[in-house]
Amino acid sequence: MPGAINVRKFLIAVTVAASSASAQDADTIRQYQFEPASSGYQIVMKAVPRPVAGDREVLVRVHATSLNRRDLNMLRREYDDNAGYAGSIPLSDGAGEVVAVGKNVSRFKVGDRVAGTFFEKWIDGAPSEAALLSDRGGNAGGMLSEVIVTHEDGLVSIPEHLSYEEAATLPCAAVTAWAGLFKRGRIEPGQYVLLEGTGGVSVFGLIFSHALGAKPIITSSRDDKLQRAMDMGAIGTANYRNNPNWHLAAKEISGGHGVDQVLDVGGRDTLPKALEILAYGGHIALIGGLTGYGSDVPTNAIMWINATVSGVYVGSRADFEAMNAFISEHQVRPLIDRVFEFEEAPAAFELMESGDFMGKIVIRL
Ligand SMILES: NC(=O)c1ccc[n+]([C@@H]2O[C@H](COP(=O)([O-])OP(=O)(O)OC[C@H]3O[C@@H](n4cnc5c(N)ncnc54)[C@H](OP(=O)(O)O)[C@@H]3O)[C@@H](O)[C@H]2O)c1
């Protein structure tokens, strides 16, 4: 997919000594930090002292990170609560190798291949407020750093068949799609699944539902992306840009049955349409706000069709581990659109802003 980048909006200031080759042992490491810019933030590369692993902490040499829409929203400073991120490390998602362990670490050893969990402190069950405030790349430190230090509880082992670049796509988008379909939706083979657009969460929804033997139907603003989705196992598609009644097209693809599962990443404009074509007993996972949040939700329709509506905010470490077991069992791989080098990180944000990608955008370190 072409990814022409014309405008360098997110400037990079390289003030660095350490090279990536020596990051394993050097006294200083390279990392990006948010810095205030004329509008929102920019990301700036810094040389900082190499972190040290304390009690129950692990040092990870990060080999790859990936972007989510949230990271772009943060750069633009679109969230109410991210006024104080100056100096913190961007990006929730990353994978790498354990290079040192502190005292009393029992879950990992040097050489293990790991990924960070989106929430450093959400282990299992329902989340606590403290767990939800441990989001990496936000309230907790992010992954766009050659080396990170983290509590051993905030890591999972990555599936053996995946590269670091592939594993780096999992913590946010994949776990969210997993939680929406499997944990909350209890998806079954043969069910019709509606996926909105071809971004990170939706393409993982396509990959997972196809691997399970469900019937994914996906929308996009671009026919070339829809063709690619068919090649990946979609049973039907609709172009939401050309066809304002894309939801009726989706219902027709299901033979009039309607969709049993929806990962609603669109929000305000897509939710009422998704509800209109929900099958009896169907499930909608409320995930995103690409068209804005808030909606005129027809509560009577939800009752009439015995629907379930779930709020999903990524998931716990246990969800990540359950998803990894599925990924290993079915040998599934994420769809990576493009891999950028560490020095090119601002261009990765520009590609996300352009919309000229499908699946995931990765930065290699
Ligand atoms: N609740 C959570 O835990 C959670 C986790 C992850 C993401 N999210 C949210 O979910 C949304 C998607 O995140 P992401 O990281 O997957 O985004 P992304 O990778 O940036 O995907 C964006 C894609 O969505 C599609 N899109 C844009 N407007 C659309 C519309 N009106 N209708 C249907 N599709 C549309 C476009 O696909 P085409 O180019 O194919 O048209 C676009 O490329 C965001 O709002 C994000 O904040 C929430």
Side-chain angles (χ1 to χ4, degrees):
M1 190 148 299
I5 291 160
N6 301 320
V7 191
R8 285 243 154 192
K9 277 195 195 149
F10 309 122
L11 297 174
I12 167 175
V14 183
T15 51
V16 179
S19 77
S20 55
S22 59
Q24 196 109 335
D25 314 303
D27 292 341
T28 56
I29 57 148
R30 300 183 301 171
Q31 75 178 203
Y32 283 90
Q33 296 179 359
F34 286 115
E35 276 200 355
S38 51
S39 82
Y41 292 109
Q42 60 184 344
I43 60 166
V44 177
M45 196 195 278
K46 300 270 173 93
V48 299
R50 180 186 173 81
V52 177
D55 197 35
R56 296 207 59 203
E57 286 183 336
V58 172
L59 279 199
V60 178
R61 168 67 174 100
V62 179
H63 287 301
T65 61
S66 82
L67 268 68
N68 295 283
R69 176 67 38 173
R70 161 183 180 268
D71 303 307
L72 184 60
N73 295 339
M74 285 185 169
L75 200 66
R76 293 170 173 162
R77 211 163 151 172
E78 286 175 353
Y79 293 127
D80 295 341
D81 66 344
N82 74 343
Y85 289 171
S88 69
I89 309 167
L91 299 192
S92 56
D93 291 10
E97 179 188 355
V98 172
V99 290
V101 293
K103 262 200 260 171
N104 300 315
V105 167
S106 59
R107 298 187 68 239
F108 297 100
K109 61 182 187 318
V110 170
D112 284 351
R113 287 164 22 101
V114 294
T117 51
F118 181 89
F119 296 107
E120 197 178 6
K121 296 180 182 166
W122 186 4
I123 308 301
D124 199 356
S128 63
E129 188 176 351
L132 294 180
L133 289 174
S134 69
D135 53 314
R136 290 190 201 274
N139 290 298
M143 301 297 286
L144 196 52
S145 174
E146 286 179 328
V147 178
I148 61 130
V149 61
T150 183
H151 194 282
E152 64 169 333
D153 284 345
L155 296 170
V156 295
S157 297
I158 58 179
E160 273 178 27
H161 71 288
L162 297 187
S163 66
Y164 285 121
E165 287 159 20
E166 291 169 325
T169 67
L170 301 177
C172 179
V175 175
T176 301
W178 167 268
L181 291 174
F182 291 80
K183 181 169 78 164
R184 310 301 292 275
R186 299 173 183 275
I187 184 174
E188 291 178 8
Q191 288 192 327
Y192 291 99
V193 182
L194 176 65
L195 303 156
E196 300 166 351
T198 59
V201 174
S202 298
V203 169
F204 272 117
L206 167 64
I207 292 168
F208 291 155
S209 44
H210 174 60
L212 183 73
K215 297 171 181 163
I217 300 168
I218 193 163
T219 69
S220 177
S221 56
R222 282 188 20 191
D223 289 341
D224 59 333
K225 295 184 181 182
L226 292 175
Q227 182 53 53
R228 184 133 189 225
M230 290 298 284
D231 297 342
M232 293 174 66
I235 63 144
T237 65
N239 186 317
Y240 67 84
R241 182 147 297 160
N242 298 345
N243 181 6
N245 289 322
W246 52 268
H247 58 309
L248 301 181
K251 185 163 183 176
E252 211 173 305
I253 292 163
S254 73
H257 172 84
V259 291
D260 303 291
Q261 302 282 344
V262 180
L263 296 185
D264 187 61
V265 297
R268 191 183 55 217
D269 298 346
T270 56
L271 179 58
K273 291 186 170 184
L275 267 169
E276 200 181 317
I277 61 156
L278 197 64
Y280 291 104
H283 169 252
I284 295 192
L286 303 183
I287 292 174
L290 289 167
T291 67
Y293 291 96
S295 217
D296 289 332
V297 177
T299 48
N300 56 338
I302 294 175
M303 287 185 273
W304 169 251
I305 61 174
N306 279 265
T308 309
V309 181
S310 308
V312 172
Y313 187 13
V314 194
S316 64
R317 190 182 82 198
D319 297 326
F320 200 157
E321 288 167 337
M323 177 190 76
N324 280 349
F326 179 89
I327 286 175
S328 298
E329 183 190 345
H330 295 271
Q331 293 286 293
V332 296
R333 293 185 180 280
L335 177 66
I336 296 176
D337 187 280
R338 192 151 151 197
V339 180
F340 290 86
E341 300 301 329
F342 191 45
E343 296 76 11
E344 303 173 312
F349 284 82
E350 288 165 20
L351 178 59
M352 174 157 271
E353 185 169 53
S354 75
D356 192 17
F357 70 97
M358 180 165 169
K360 296 294 294 178
I361 300 168
V362 167
I363 299 169
R364 174 165 50 208
L365 285 80

